[in-house]
Amino acid sequence: MAGGHPVRGPGSLQGRGSECALLDDVIAALRAGESRTLLIHGEAGIGKTALLNYAVESAADLRLLQAAGVESEMELAFASLHQLCAPLLEAVEQLPPPQRGALEVAFGRTEGPAPDRFLVGLAVLTLLSGAAEGRPLLCVVDDAQWLDEVSAKTLAFVARRLLAEPVGLLVAARTPAGDLRGLPELEVLGLRNGDARALLRSGVMFRLDERVRDRIVAETRGNPLALLELPRGLSVEQLAGGFGLLDAPRQALPTRLEESFQHRVQAIPAAARLLMLVAAAEPVGDPLLVWRAAERLGIAVAAADATDGLLTIGESVRFRNPLVRSAVYRSAPVDQRRRVHLALAEATDREVDPDRRAWHLAAAAPAPDEAVAGELERSAGRAQARGGVAAAAAFLQRAVGLTAEPGRRTERALAAAELSFQAGELDTAQRLLAMAKSYPLDGFQAARAALLRGHVAVVLGYGNDAALLLLDAARQLEAFDLELARGAYLTAYGSAHSAAHLGQAAVFLDICRAIEDLPPPQGAPDAKSLLLEGLARMHTDGRAVATPILQRAASAVAQMPEEDVLRWGWIAPMASNATWDSDGSTAIFERQAKIVRGAGALVELPVYLSSLALDKVWNGDLAGARLLIAESDTVAAATGSQLPPFAALRLLSMQGKEADASMLIAATIKQATARGQGLAVRVAQWAAAVLYNGLARYDEAAAAARQVTANDIDPYPQMWALPELVEAAARVGETDVARRALDRLVQMTQPAGTDWGLGTEVRSRALLSDGENADLLYREAIQRFGRTGLRPELARAHLLYGEWLRREGRRSDAREQLRTAHHMFAAIGMEAFAERTRRELVATGGTVRKRSAETRKVLTAQEEQIVRLTRDGLSNPEIGAQLFLSSRTVEWHLRKVYMKLGISSRRELWAASVRAAGSSSA
């Protein structure tokens, strides 16, 4: 079935609240044992199939029969009816003989005289009624305008005779024609402007010019097919500013409809056709501009009356369908298009709209033209200043094609490649980079090209190749731009860090030594300089030397300018992490994710979302982490990023979901090893250590942690895995292994002196201590973690203390600690650790109250996100803007939330959502 477009949100459709409610009523009536029939009609692409799909999804508990009219089979009698009834043919034997005979002949199962059409209809009615005896039956028929005549008449007969049977018939057609006329109808119209804009926005991954957006919405009249198909397959360059729509690839639009419009256009008088071309070539739909250009071309006003209704010029310029516009433009000769664009350029005010004028001039240019290319370059600068990176890239790409002088062509191609990368167009960036390299590059251009190659490699692979490219670029850049070189060194460090033990150790050290050899910055060192120095010295001089520098860097990067966040911010939190600063890390992660999301930097966004998700896991907000992981995965899939599942590994291991976690751990290790992503391998092994410690399988936890801590190249997984190794080794009696791990851990925690670091240290030290000393260390660990937001670490401290107290024979004290730990683990959702704690409690003679089974359903991930934003005080439109949903869809979700939680207002949402979170993690 074709023509429908489900959009955003499980079980919901953009802007179709009332239609979905009507279909819900149909399904509810069937469940109540009643019959329902509905004819859904509307123009092609309006969303009829989407509504049918919604009904099918909503009726998962019902029996389902489906069929669709096929144009090539319209002459085959009973073809569509046979398609609908085929799953029930075994029951034909149960029909009364006359009905059985009629139906068998109609379906070609036996030979005989032509059956009575009404007898066939009665047989189908009986067949459907019998099929609904066990459970209600829903029949769905799409593209009914292409049903063969006999099938259409038979279905109409059945529809009018459905009375008491729990049988529903949903039929979708373009018009309520023939025997279907007179059935209960639902006319599907275009989406309202707000919903149409939201749907259009869902198909465009960057900011679209508002006037272009409004024209597209107006011309499509809210048709979902046109709104979704128009941007599909188009590049950023083709959509930015609306200028490139005219050059869109043919396959991006429904070819058959466009060809039919082309035939109509060819029958229109030449003057009217030329006027239509002017209107088609003007992307905003400004009637005054169209008439000014028409006057320059000698087109009379009367030509507007001869467009056969395909074009209306009033307060705005509207084509009957956007396919008309593309058909007009494509069918026009190239020289005629150029004449029209030149007229539009001359009619456009240079001061009011210089960018649109430059674009028209570019489209009118038959050969390279430096004057026009210069105009485009200036337009790119203006677009970039407004934050329109995609539009700036589009202007520069067009300028490249109009530039003849090799030096300027190279510079413009390189600049366009850099902007295309920022806009997330990696393929375009690489193509333009290859074009730039086909000409001689000066030293600075060669360095920039090397830097861009490195950045692309980082996004596509996160492996060691990128580190080598970036190191080379940074060295080249030192002679031209020290600040740019420092940024390249930072990115090179991050890339080498990602490659970790699977990369070349020499590369890591080469990067660090090159950083140390950089000349000092003039004046006070900024965040970038401090971070570079601290990271390099951590590897060359050790933590004791590096930590004070990194702590200064952490304070500086917390308020780094937004433009720096977009350039190298993904590396900035390393300073807080390396110095065990949990509060500082959280503040940085939250600020950066907000900045990058707001800027629409899609290429970089998955890294920031994943980092913020990791931070939420550290703080025990597993639900929030799950939502961020889903968002990160969606954006990564759209941009082609191959970011490893760092946050998902951490989340599943903390939840203690052995099957899911083990599968992801194994898959990540295999895939990351093949890609040279050593950090991902180590994070997966760290996740395994946490998982197995939670499951109390200490031998396996120790084996995994040993792999992570096997060398000193991976500073971060090592500092996180060493406490896991201490715990696991201590539990299996490998005291020497645990002590060596503790000694290495102390070298990292002591210089930092934070509650996170020292709490981790004393908790680990307590595992290897006895008597009063152990008691004091456990209490200190609890106090230190209690001053942080690290709830899982605090819960684990209570657990370890409780386990020690039980072994010491202090059963009452042990129960107190273990109950606290169990309550915390259950509230967070750390199932394996909660079960480990429960077993300890039972061993002390204590009991654990089992939570009563909840009758309400657990909230979905999207419902949880809406609940969170609602609790934060956001309105439905604000929530919709953040989650790319309509406000009506948000309200639909909230109603479901209220029903699940047994509440009726936002005021009750806070307490109810807390109860739901507790029950879902029990």
Side-chain angles (χ1 to χ4, degrees):
M1 294 188 288
H5 301 276
V7 185
R8 304 286 184 196
S12 65
L13 292 172
Q14 183 77 53
R16 298 300 190 197
S18 60
E19 292 88 343
C20 288
L22 180 58
L23 291 173
D24 288 341
D25 291 341
V26 170
I27 304 302
L30 296 180
R31 293 192 178 109
E34 302 175 14
S35 300
R36 286 291 186 275
T37 300
L38 186 65
L39 172 63
I40 304 171
H41 64 90
E43 66 183 26
I46 204 66
K48 302 183 295 297
T49 300
L51 290 169
L52 293 181
N53 290 340
Y54 172 86
V56 169
E57 293 172 4
S58 301
D61 57 323
L62 275 59
R63 188 168 187 177
L64 177 67
L65 296 177
Q66 290 181 279
V70 180
E71 190 173 13
S72 61
E73 295 184 354
M74 289 184 67
E75 301 304 318
L76 299 179
F78 297 110
S80 299
L81 190 65
H82 184 274
Q83 183 185 14
L84 181 71
C85 297
L88 306 179
L89 292 183
E90 290 184 1
V92 170
E93 297 296 328
Q94 308 301 319
L95 295 175
Q99 297 179 25
R100 182 177 69 241
L103 199 59
E104 287 184 333
V105 171
F107 289 166
R109 291 162 59 95
T110 62
E111 294 183 358
D116 184 283
R117 180 168 59 86
F118 295 104
L119 189 59
V120 172
L122 184 58
V124 172
L125 179 61
T126 305
L127 196 64
L128 298 180
S129 299
E133 286 180 358
R135 54 177 170 157
L137 173 68
L138 177 64
C139 302
V140 175
V141 180
D142 201 4
D143 287 331
Q145 71 276 0
W146 290 329
L147 292 176
D148 60 276
E149 183 179 0
V150 181
S151 291
K153 290 180 179 296
T154 303
L155 285 175
F157 173 90
V158 171
R160 290 183 173 87
R161 283 158 181 79
L162 288 172
L163 297 174
E165 303 84 359
V167 176
L169 179 60
L170 298 178
V171 181
R174 291 183 181 174
T175 58
D179 290 88
L180 298 176
R181 190 181 291 114
L183 296 178
E185 295 180 11
L186 168 61
E187 183 180 8
V188 185
L189 302 174
L191 298 174
R192 294 183 178 181
N193 285 346
D195 292 314
R197 293 189 190 104
L199 181 57
L200 177 62
R201 187 165 58 243
S202 74
V204 180
M205 299 295 288
F206 61 94
R207 187 168 54 201
L208 192 63
D209 184 288
E210 289 186 2
R211 290 179 293 176
V212 174
R213 177 202 66 190
D214 290 342
R215 183 177 187 185
I216 293 173
V217 168
E219 290 185 357
T220 58
R221 294 175 296 162
N223 184 297
L225 173 65
L227 287 166
L228 287 174
E229 289 295 335
L230 194 60
R232 186 167 295 164
L234 304 187
S235 68
V236 171
E237 179 259 337
Q238 288 168 318
L239 269 177
F243 305 108
L245 288 171
L246 307 177
D247 298 321
R250 186 178 188 82
Q251 60 270 27
L253 300 172
T255 303
R256 181 163 47 192
L257 292 176
E258 185 179 339
E259 288 176 349
S260 69
F261 286 134
Q262 284 182 349
H263 291 311
R264 291 182 62 180
V265 169
Q266 293 305 317
I268 292 174
R273 202 161 58 242
L274 186 58
L275 177 62
M276 293 177 72
L277 179 59
V278 174
E282 201 291 295
V284 173
D286 182 347
L288 296 179
L289 181 57
V290 168
W291 283 123
R292 286 200 301 269
E295 183 179 1
R296 291 175 179 274
L297 293 168
I299 303 172
V301 174
D305 299 327
T307 62
D308 192 23
L310 296 176
L311 174 68
T312 302
I313 304 179
E315 294 182 358
S316 62
V317 179
R318 293 187 182 182
F319 284 96
R320 181 171 180 176
N321 188 288
L323 299 184
V324 177
R325 181 184 179 197
S326 62
V328 168
Y329 193 82
R330 294 179 196 284
S331 62
V334 174
D335 61 338
Q336 194 174 63
R337 293 187 206 173
R338 289 180 179 142
R339 285 178 54 216
V340 164
H341 280 292
L342 181 59
L344 285 166
E346 293 171 344
T348 301
D349 192 306
R350 181 192 297 267
E351 300 299 326
V352 174
D353 205 345
D355 300 338
R356 215 166 294 282
R357 178 180 178 276
W359 197 273
H360 284 305
L361 287 173
D369 188 320
E370 179 55 35
V372 177
E375 291 282 352
L376 290 168
E377 190 171 35
R378 286 186 284 276
S379 292
R382 286 189 291 268
Q384 190 174 7
R386 296 192 299 267
V389 176
F395 280 120
L396 276 181
Q397 287 181 57
R398 183 59 64 93
V400 170
L402 294 175
T403 305
E405 198 276 315
R408 287 181 175 175
R409 184 179 177 88
T410 299
E411 177 59 32
R412 286 166 178 164
L414 183 56
E418 292 167 336
L419 288 170
S420 295
F421 172 79
Q422 292 180 38
E425 293 284 299
L426 300 186
D427 290 341
T428 301
Q430 290 175 303
R431 176 178 57 81
L432 288 165
L433 184 57
M435 182 188 299
K437 290 176 62 180
S438 65
Y439 296 90
L441 301 176
D442 63 29
F444 187 38
Q445 289 172 336
R448 288 165 55 202
L451 180 61
L452 182 56
R453 284 199 306 275
H455 283 156
V456 171
V458 168
V459 172
L460 294 179
Y462 291 91
N464 196 53
D465 290 345
L468 290 168
L469 290 170
L470 290 163
L471 174 58
D472 178 59
R475 284 170 169 163
Q476 293 182 54
L477 285 166
E478 284 189 45
F480 305 99
D481 188 327
L482 269 177
E483 282 305 301
L484 199 55
R486 288 190 175 95
Y489 276 123
L490 267 179
T491 311
Y493 177 93
S495 181
H497 169 61
S498 296
H501 65 286
L502 295 181
Q504 300 176 27
V507 174
F508 217 134
L509 293 177
D510 285 347
I511 293 171
C512 292
R513 293 188 182 108
I515 291 171
E516 290 183 334
D517 290 339
L518 283 170
Q522 295 180 351
D526 59 4
K528 187 189 300 180
S529 299
L530 288 169
L531 183 59
L532 272 173
E533 183 183 0
L535 293 175
R537 289 189 177 276
M538 184 168 59
H539 295 276
T540 59
D541 298 325
R543 298 259 180 168
V545 174
T547 295
I549 303 170
L550 287 170
Q551 288 173 331
R552 292 170 60 200
S555 298
V557 300
Q559 298 300 323
M560 60 194 291
E562 292 189 7
E563 56 268 25
D564 284 344
V565 171
L566 296 174
R567 291 192 188 105
W568 53 273
W570 64 285
I571 307 172
M574 288 184 177
S576 296
N577 284 334
T579 55
W580 302 85
D581 180 5
S582 58
D583 291 340
S585 296
T586 297
I588 291 172
F589 284 132
E590 289 180 345
R591 177 175 183 261
Q592 291 188 342
K594 182 178 180 180
I595 289 171
V596 176
R597 186 191 279 117
L602 297 177
V603 172
E604 294 88 357
L605 184 57
V607 177
Y608 292 88
L609 295 176
S610 179
S611 297
L612 181 57
L614 269 170
D615 185 74
K616 286 190 177 295
V617 177
W618 274 110
N619 287 290
D621 183 4
L622 305 192
R626 186 170 67 251
L627 300 175
L628 288 165
I629 290 168
E631 184 181 355
S632 175
D633 290 346
T634 299
V635 179
T639 60
S641 173
Q642 295 184 16
L643 179 69
F646 296 121
L649 287 163
R650 177 73 170 145
L651 174 65
L652 291 173
S653 69
M654 291 286 276
Q655 288 176 318
K657 295 184 176 180
E658 182 181 3
D660 293 340
S662 297
M663 186 180 302
L664 184 60
I665 287 167
T668 301
I669 291 174
K670 179 180 179 180
Q671 191 172 63
T673 300
R675 293 176 176 171
Q677 298 171 338
L679 178 62
V681 173
R682 292 303 190 224
V683 170
Q685 292 163 342
W686 168 48
V690 174
L691 173 68
Y692 292 129
N693 269 333
L695 294 168
R697 286 156 54 178
Y698 302 114
D699 283 327
E700 294 168 89
R706 280 195 193 93
Q707 291 177 303
V708 183
T709 59
N711 60 59
D712 294 329
I713 295 179
D714 315 320
Y716 304 106
Q718 184 182 159
M719 62 188 283
W720 299 330
L722 283 170
E724 305 297 335
L725 180 56
V726 174
E727 180 175 340
R731 286 290 184 254
V732 297
E734 295 183 359
T735 306
D736 289 342
V737 172
R739 291 193 185 281
R740 286 195 297 271
L742 176 61
D743 290 342
R744 293 172 64 185
L745 179 64
V746 169
Q747 295 175 19
M748 301 176 181
T749 57
Q750 281 295 317
T754 65
D755 282 322
W756 180 11
L758 295 179
T760 302
E761 177 190 325
V762 296
R763 188 183 68 189
S764 299
R765 190 180 298 279
L767 283 162
L768 299 172
S769 302
D770 298 313
E772 184 179 355
N773 187 38
D775 193 287
L776 291 174
L777 289 170
Y778 280 124
R779 289 180 179 276
E780 181 182 350
I782 290 171
Q783 290 174 353
R784 288 191 178 278
F785 283 127
R787 292 195 289 265
T788 74
L790 304 169
R791 292 192 300 149
E793 300 306 301
L794 175 60
R796 291 183 68 176
H798 282 290
L799 168 60
L800 291 176
Y801 188 25
E803 290 175 333
W804 180 82
L805 288 168
R806 184 182 72 80
R807 290 195 301 274
E808 292 291 303
R810 297 164 58 181
R811 298 162 69 88
S812 176
D813 292 339
R815 282 194 292 271
E816 179 183 352
Q817 295 298 324
L818 292 170
R819 284 199 179 100
T820 299
H822 186 269
H823 175 77
M824 294 183 70
F825 287 137
I828 294 169
M830 297 171 65
E831 298 171 9
F833 279 99
E835 175 57 21
R836 173 179 154 185
T837 309
R838 187 195 67 79
R839 290 196 300 268
E840 286 288 325
L841 261 172
V842 171
T844 66
T847 59
V848 182
R849 182 176 61 86
K850 291 186 177 181
R851 296 171 181 264
S852 59
E854 287 284 340
T855 57
R856 295 183 297 268
K857 297 179 181 178
V858 178
L859 299 183
T860 65
Q862 189 166 57
E863 288 166 351
E864 287 179 1
Q865 195 166 11
I866 290 173
V867 166
R868 287 169 178 273
L869 295 173
T870 302
R871 290 201 332 246
D872 289 343
L874 274 67
S875 65
N876 286 359
E878 290 170 335
I879 295 171
Q882 182 161 333
L883 301 183
F884 304 100
L885 299 170
S886 70
S887 58
R888 185 176 296 175
T889 299
V890 173
E891 179 59 33
W892 182 81
H893 281 295
L894 277 175
R895 288 199 301 270
K896 291 180 65 180
V897 169
Y898 293 163
M899 184 181 302
K900 289 181 180 181
L901 301 183
I903 61 176
S904 59
S905 70
R906 290 179 178 233
R907 293 180 181 179
E908 302 174 70
L909 197 53
W910 175 270
S913 61
V914 170
R915 292 197 304 270
S919 66
S920 66
S921 59

